[in-house]
Amino acid sequence: MKQIIFTLLTTCFTFCCIAQTHVNVSTTDQLFATLAKNRGTSDGDTLYIHLAPGTYILERPIVFTEEYTRPVVIEGDEERMPVISAGKRISGWTTTAEGWWRCHVPETAQYGWLFEQLYVNGHRATRARTPDSGFYNVDDAKEDVHVRGNGRSPLFASQTIHTAPEVLTPLKSLGKPQLERVVARFYHKWDNTTKYLQFAEPDSGRFYITGRGMNSWNAIRNGTQYSLENYRGALNAPGEWFLDIDGTLLYIPLPGEDINTAECFAPRLEQVVILKGTADKPVRDKTFRHISFAHTANYTPRNGHEPDQVAAWLDAAIMMDYAQRICIDGCEVQHTGNYAIWIREKCFDNRVEKTFIYDIGGGGIKIGSRTLSQQGEEVTGRNLVENCILRHLGLTFPCSGGVIIFHSAHNKVLHNDICDLRYTGVSVGWIWGYAYSPSVDNEVGFNHIHHIGWGELSDMGAVYTLGTSPGTRVHDNVIHDVWSYDYGGWGLYTDEGSTGIVMENNLVYNTKCGGFHQHYGRDNIIRNNIFAWGWLQQLQASRIEDHRSFTFEHNIVVMNHGVLMAGTWGKVDMDYNCYYDTSGRQPTFLQEDRAAWQQKHDQHSIFADPLFRDAEQYDFRLKSTKVAKRIGFKPFDYNRAGVYGSKEWKQKAQMEPEQIEEFAKLFH
């Protein structure tokens, strides 16, 4: 049965039909008219809608409900991919005395359309912010609770943020309407909080925000990083823009940009596609192929955005509920203010394949519901994310992740390239502790996950797990370059209550806080992995419990910096590992030397050069298996990780050398 399910997931389905209907479409009106005309069934045949190259501007999202029972394929040309845009073209620019661009957006003055993203010539412009790079730091934060409520955090409170007075000096000239449009974006531990300013006292270095009370376990406090944005005085650098409440839009062009040929979009809609069936009648058999979906919006509500791990509440450009056998194949999702795709409530056997997800305000792909169902109730499952590129994520919500699996089972995340984001690469599970969790039997394999963190947030893992998850496997991934702001830049991270998870055949190197960390969990197996070049430590464990926390065996650990182990280690089974410090130091185990440690653990482990070809240049192939055989380590082909296909597709997954060089500076 498992083999049958696997075959169904990994084999691109085709609709076996009596007949096919083909319609050529070149305008947005034609697209909607064709869908409306073919809402029901037509003897089971498939409707093929062929989109001509061009840009299709949406006035409303494309919506498939349970009424759309007919199989539909909407496809474009692979070489000249049509763009389905949720935005509006911005034109009518003139040049100011400073050489800036100016135009008037009448919808802002008339209808209050205050967009928060702008795209110029295919790149995301920066909403005017200070500082232009880096962050300010909170000196102190005080909270006054007004309504306590019954939750873990106060229902309503106000916070006084203390900072350097010179930071707030540019706010002195703002009137009340302009001041209340200024946004403060805080970076604290694994979260972001986004708030409008309610009041400011620049000379005293204080400003005030309101909303839900701060979480005691993750509050804004001394040292918290933050930035200010969306006020005229912050507009001072090429690539920045500012929209005033009267509709005046200003943009400082980048070198080489031509006002006469520039293509500019501001996002209007929050979704491009919605697939929403019902429990009795799910939406089925819809395919999107060779289409670029772009320019979705996010609007900050008046009470701001409260902190939430992986920005879990945030919606997506493509939303699915009660959907089955939906295929997104060879597409693009770009330039969004939210997540790219959310396969949410009771969704089964859907696939996202060979899709380029880039320049995303939130994260990449979310699978499953955040709401825990009754035990025994079927949850979203059997979905596939394979051979996709997810790059440049978390640009509005840095705490977003690459691929997130909430309450969902039997999913596969395979052969993807996930990079250039500020938080976790792949997250599995949504229960903190040992209570019932339906997130079982998920597979995360052969992914290349790299250059994450960027020193902005803490408590992250390239692969992060939560809760009881028997059958879940994390294998054959290549993970490197993970750098957190403070603690928690780990490669493999089994967090609260992670149970029954196997992590094997992974290559992990260049992490700030270690290749592996378990906060607390039960009976996880960490075997046959390579962990190299951790900065502060190589391995970490953080809680002593009565049960066996994990088994650590047949692993190779190579270091040249920091310590081998950190934290508080409880009941773990460790044996048949190889440890090697290229600096010549003898690795120590917490406060114990090798002899004392081996009386309790690692009795058959060795301390020797594992004989990699050139580990310092990240060539971890073995030039000899002599040492590996002594610990039962089985060589694996880590070059299989990442995307596959044409040379051009693989090249698209490569980060720019300048970005790689910039990230490398974090390690020095």
Side-chain angles (χ1 to χ4, degrees):
M1 179 58 70
K2 286 186 176 180
Q3 182 60 43
I4 293 172
I5 292 173
F6 180 78
T7 302
L8 287 172
L9 280 170
T10 55
T11 303
C12 186
F13 67 85
T14 57
F15 302 122
C16 299
C17 309
I18 298 172
Q20 298 176 352
T21 301
H22 292 259
V23 179
N24 294 321
V25 165
S26 59
T27 69
T28 308
D29 288 344
Q30 289 176 344
L31 172 59
F32 277 99
T34 302
L35 290 172
K37 182 180 178 181
N38 295 276
R39 182 173 291 133
T41 60
S42 182
D43 298 324
D45 70 332
T46 300
L47 171 66
Y48 282 83
I49 301 175
H50 302 280
L51 296 182
T55 300
Y56 296 75
I57 304 292
L58 300 180
E59 292 295 324
R60 62 186 187 278
I62 298 169
V63 179
F64 287 96
T65 66
E66 72 277 6
E67 297 176 343
Y68 286 84
T69 56
R70 186 176 188 178
V72 176
V73 177
I74 305 178
E75 60 184 356
D77 184 277
E78 185 175 8
E79 300 300 322
R80 296 184 299 159
M81 209 174 283
V83 177
I84 295 181
S85 172
K88 173 183 171 58
R89 290 185 189 274
I90 301 297
S91 58
W93 296 101
T94 59
T95 305
T96 70
E98 304 99 323
W100 301 356
W101 299 356
R102 175 196 284 132
C103 72
H104 182 68
V105 182
E107 294 90 342
T108 296
Q110 295 173 12
Y111 310 116
W113 177 41
L114 292 164
F115 51 86
E116 300 182 22
Q117 298 86 39
L118 180 69
Y119 303 96
V120 180
N121 295 325
H123 77 266
R124 180 184 300 257
T126 301
R127 190 159 69 154
R129 60 159 278 175
T130 56
D132 290 329
S133 61
F135 302 95
Y136 300 127
N137 290 99
V138 170
D139 290 339
D140 196 10
K142 304 293 184 182
E143 179 168 84
D144 293 306
V145 175
H146 307 295
V147 181
R148 182 65 189 83
N150 299 318
R152 296 179 67 191
S153 301
L155 189 61
F156 180 71
S158 57
Q159 293 86 29
T160 304
I161 308 300
H162 297 258
T163 191
E166 59 268 22
V167 169
L168 304 183
T169 299
L171 305 183
K172 284 185 177 182
S173 61
L174 299 182
K176 188 173 186 293
Q178 288 78 21
L179 178 68
E180 291 180 350
R181 296 298 304 170
V182 177
V183 171
R185 197 179 305 277
F186 300 92
Y187 295 64
H188 48 118
K189 292 187 179 179
W190 58 88
D191 273 335
N192 295 111
T193 296
T194 303
K195 293 287 184 176
Y196 289 111
L197 270 59
Q198 300 299 318
F199 191 74
E201 297 178 282
D203 290 337
S204 300
R206 292 193 293 263
F207 63 89
Y208 302 83
I209 57 176
T210 61
R212 198 180 72 193
M214 294 190 293
N215 299 325
S216 60
W217 60 90
N218 190 7
I220 298 169
R221 60 185 59 181
N222 177 270
T224 294
Q225 297 189 123
Y226 76 98
S227 62
L228 297 173
E229 65 181 58
N230 196 37
Y231 63 100
R232 175 67 173 76
L235 184 67
N236 61 0
E240 286 191 332
W241 65 278
F242 172 70
L243 175 65
D244 209 337
I245 54 179
D246 65 359
T248 300
L249 176 62
L250 294 168
Y251 173 68
I252 304 179
L254 293 169
E257 287 185 321
D258 187 341
I259 194 172
N260 299 305
T261 59
E263 185 176 55
C264 306
F265 284 91
R268 292 179 57 252
L269 307 175
E270 295 176 90
Q271 278 76 47
V272 281
V273 176
I274 298 172
L275 301 115
K276 190 173 182 62
T278 65
D280 296 331
K281 293 183 179 180
V283 176
R284 294 190 176 105
D285 300 326
K286 306 295 183 281
T287 295
F288 304 89
R289 183 175 293 124
H290 303 149
I291 299 169
S292 180
F293 300 98
H295 309 137
T296 60
N298 174 264
Y299 298 102
T300 303
R302 192 59 233 161
N303 60 349
H305 293 302
E306 301 291 353
D308 199 2
Q309 186 167 325
V310 298
W313 57 271
L314 184 63
D315 62 12
I318 299 174
M319 296 289 295
M320 301 185 200
D321 292 293
Y322 299 99
Q324 298 178 9
R325 299 193 299 272
I326 307 303
C327 178
I328 300 174
D329 177 26
C331 291
E332 296 177 348
V333 185
Q334 302 187 73
H335 311 319
T336 75
N338 45 11
Y339 266 80
I341 301 167
W342 194 349
I343 305 169
R344 191 168 56 179
E345 298 283 351
K346 299 292 193 299
C347 294
F348 304 98
D349 305 311
N350 304 293
R351 304 186 333 278
V352 183
E353 297 178 295
K354 200 187 176 186
T355 290
F356 183 52
I357 296 174
Y358 178 77
D359 188 47
I360 304 297
I365 300 171
K366 297 196 285 189
I367 301 173
S369 172
R370 296 180 62 201
T371 304
L372 182 62
S373 59
Q374 295 294 319
Q375 192 164 350
E377 183 181 347
E378 193 173 29
V379 296
T380 288
R382 303 190 306 272
N383 300 289
L384 174 70
V385 179
E386 183 168 2
N387 198 25
C388 295
I389 301 169
L390 299 92
R391 286 183 55 195
H392 210 39
L393 313 177
L395 302 181
T396 304
F397 299 92
C399 62
S400 302
V403 178
I404 314 299
I405 299 175
F406 293 125
H407 297 306
S408 185
H410 313 297
N411 302 288
K412 296 179 182 293
V413 181
L414 306 173
H415 284 287
N416 304 288
D417 194 288
I418 302 170
C419 71
D420 192 17
L421 62 157
R422 272 60 187 165
Y423 190 57
T424 287
V426 178
S427 179
V428 183
W430 203 241
I431 288 291
W432 285 257
Y434 298 112
Y436 162 71
S437 171
S439 302
V440 301
D441 195 30
N442 290 296
E443 181 181 1
V444 180
F446 298 104
N447 301 286
H448 184 199
I449 307 170
H450 56 107
H451 294 93
I452 69 172
W454 287 89
E456 293 187 7
L457 291 167
S458 302
D459 200 26
M460 71 190 67
V463 178
Y464 172 93
T465 63
L466 275 171
T468 303
S469 191
T472 290
R473 293 180 61 224
V474 178
H475 67 92
D476 293 282
N477 302 285
V478 172
I479 293 165
H480 60 93
D481 292 283
V482 181
W483 195 264
S484 57
Y485 168 62
D486 187 9
Y487 74 98
W490 295 297
L492 303 176
Y493 182 10
T494 46
D495 201 8
E496 303 194 27
S498 293
T499 298
I501 298 167
V502 176
M503 296 180 163
E504 61 186 345
N505 297 352
N506 300 287
L507 168 60
V508 185
Y509 63 92
N510 282 6
T511 57
K512 180 178 180 180
C513 299
F516 168 71
H517 171 232
Q518 177 154 308
H519 181 188
Y520 68 90
R522 179 191 288 128
D523 293 335
N524 299 305
I525 297 174
I526 316 301
R527 68 184 176 206
N528 215 79
N529 303 284
I530 300 171
F531 299 109
W533 314 139
W535 188 255
L536 297 178
Q537 59 265 335
Q538 317 309 310
L539 308 171
Q540 189 169 348
S542 298
R543 182 182 291 190
I544 295 176
E545 296 181 292
D546 291 336
H547 52 253
R548 179 178 59 191
S549 294
F550 58 89
T551 299
F552 189 88
E553 59 187 8
H554 311 301
N555 300 287
I556 298 175
V557 182
V558 179
M559 60 186 289
N560 60 5
H561 200 276
V563 298
L564 176 61
M565 299 170 67
T568 304
W569 291 65
K571 293 185 178 180
V572 298
D573 291 344
M574 301 182 70
D575 209 356
Y576 291 100
N577 301 295
C578 174
Y579 305 103
Y580 182 56
D581 190 330
T582 62
S583 68
R585 297 176 299 170
Q586 186 70 224
T588 57
F589 299 83
L590 302 176
Q591 303 303 316
E592 302 185 27
D593 61 20
R594 173 180 172 180
W597 178 262
Q598 287 198 286
Q599 289 180 357
K600 298 174 290 185
H601 303 285
D602 277 316
Q603 292 181 3
H604 301 94
S605 294
I606 61 177
F607 301 79
D609 184 345
L611 303 177
F612 292 127
R613 291 193 181 184
D614 192 351
E616 291 188 357
Q617 296 300 316
Y618 312 125
D619 185 348
F620 294 95
R621 294 174 297 170
L622 293 171
K623 58 187 176 184
S624 169
T625 60
K626 180 176 64 174
V627 174
K629 286 180 179 179
R630 291 175 59 189
I631 62 166
F633 177 86
K634 298 178 181 178
F636 56 92
D637 184 3
Y638 59 82
N639 288 310
R640 295 173 62 195
V643 298
Y644 57 85
S646 68
K647 179 181 178 181
E648 291 75 17
W649 180 242
K650 292 180 180 179
Q651 184 62 37
K652 201 165 191 173
Q654 301 299 310
M655 282 179 61
E656 290 78 6
E658 296 80 12
Q659 278 189 299
I660 295 173
E661 192 173 310
E662 188 66 25
F663 194 97
K665 294 176 183 177
L666 297 170
F667 283 85
H668 300 287

